[in-house]
């Protein structure tokens, strides 16, 4: 990773911020993969070093669940 930051001409700290933002974008994309906005009442919390995302839905989220698992398994 350090080599990547140097190649981009940015600090390691900025590189880490970018990597974290990309991860958050990947999660948000997986949560709305069908683009039907199935989740309601989002709640996002930071606990220590963890980002907790709580969302409610009454819709079928089979597609979103499988893609979400693919990202983190």
């Amino acid at each position: 990773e350090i080599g990547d930051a140097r190649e981009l001409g940015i600090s390691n700290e900025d590189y880490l911020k970018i990597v974290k933002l990309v991860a958050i974008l990947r999660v948000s994309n997986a949560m709305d993969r069908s683009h039907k906005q199935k989740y309601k009442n989002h709640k996002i919390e930071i606990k220590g070093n963890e980002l907790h995302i709580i969302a409610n839905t009454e819709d079928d989220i089979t597609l979103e669940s499988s893609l979400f698992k693919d990202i983190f398994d």
Side-chain angles (χ1 to χ4, degrees), residues 6-61:
R6 289 184 188 146
E7 288 175 19
L8 294 171
I10 59 175
S11 69
N12 291 338
E13 182 179 331
D14 286 343
Y15 182 79
L16 185 57
K17 287 178 187 176
I18 292 167
V19 169
K20 288 178 181 180
L21 288 170
V22 168
I24 292 169
L25 289 172
R26 289 181 70 194
V27 168
S28 65
N29 188 49
M31 288 180 70
D32 191 27
R33 192 63 179 167
S34 65
H35 302 290
K36 294 185 179 179
Q37 301 177 353
K38 297 178 182 180
Y39 293 97
K40 309 288 187 249
N41 302 319
H42 298 80
K43 182 177 180 181
I44 300 172
E45 300 174 339
I46 297 175
K47 293 184 179 180
N49 289 331
E50 297 180 351
L51 178 67
H52 293 244
I53 301 171
I54 302 159
N56 298 313
T57 186
E58 294 181 10
D59 296 323
D60 179 7
I61 57 167

